[in-house]
Amino acid sequence: QVQLVESGGGLVQPGGSLRLSCAASGSIFSIYSMGWYRQAPGKQRELVAAKSNGGRTYYADSVKGRFTCSRDNAKNTVYLQMNSLKPEDTAVYYCNEDPPRHSWGQGTQVTVSS
């Protein structure tokens, strides 16, 4: 298991951008697919984006065309570039393997509001 630490969240206006980072305590080279999840108040945690070592990507319909997931295995880091943010993107964002196999980090809060 690796420990995961998310960062980069904050308060942003609708239409704005944020870049989230997820630093792993160990190597993610052998982890086939790493993903970003989010949990909004009163809702279940959902997978929004994932990137495999083979280059395959997954995006939830709600973020397709706006979010980009990438990974740097040499830095043991996963990123989520979020553009054209909407109020409905407000949530705590987490990273984990897809499907999740590691303990959850503390997440990073993203709030989209004017």
Side-chain angles (χ1 to χ4, degrees):
Q1 283 219 355
V2 296
Q3 298 203 352
L4 302 161
V5 179
E6 302 88 352
S7 62
L11 173 64
V12 63
Q13 292 187 341
S17 298
L18 283 174
R19 188 192 195 207
L20 307 184
S21 298
C22 170
S25 62
S27 175
I28 63 170
F29 179 79
S30 62
I31 298 176
Y32 178 70
S33 182
M34 288 293 297
W36 282 94
Y37 302 76
R38 69 184 181 189
Q39 187 168 21
K43 295 189 177 181
Q44 287 191 331
R45 191 173 294 170
E46 61 172 345
L47 177 69
V48 296
K51 181 71 176 284
S52 76
N53 273 330
R56 300 181 80 172
T57 55
Y58 163 83
Y59 295 101
D61 287 344
S62 57
V63 307
K64 205 169 288 184
R66 301 188 297 120
F67 289 11
T68 303
C69 181
S70 61
R71 58 191 290 173
D72 186 335
N73 288 346
K75 295 182 178 180
N76 297 319
T77 303
V78 186
Y79 303 97
L80 186 67
Q81 177 66 44
M82 306 188 296
N83 299 328
S84 303
L85 282 161
K86 304 175 180 180
E88 50 264 44
D89 295 318
T90 295
V92 180
Y93 285 72
Y94 305 85
C95 70
N96 209 314
E97 187 170 354
D98 171 33
R101 301 182 200 277
H102 307 275
S103 298
W104 294 98
Q106 84 287 352
T108 187
Q109 175 71 49
V110 172
T111 302
V112 185
S113 175
S114 55

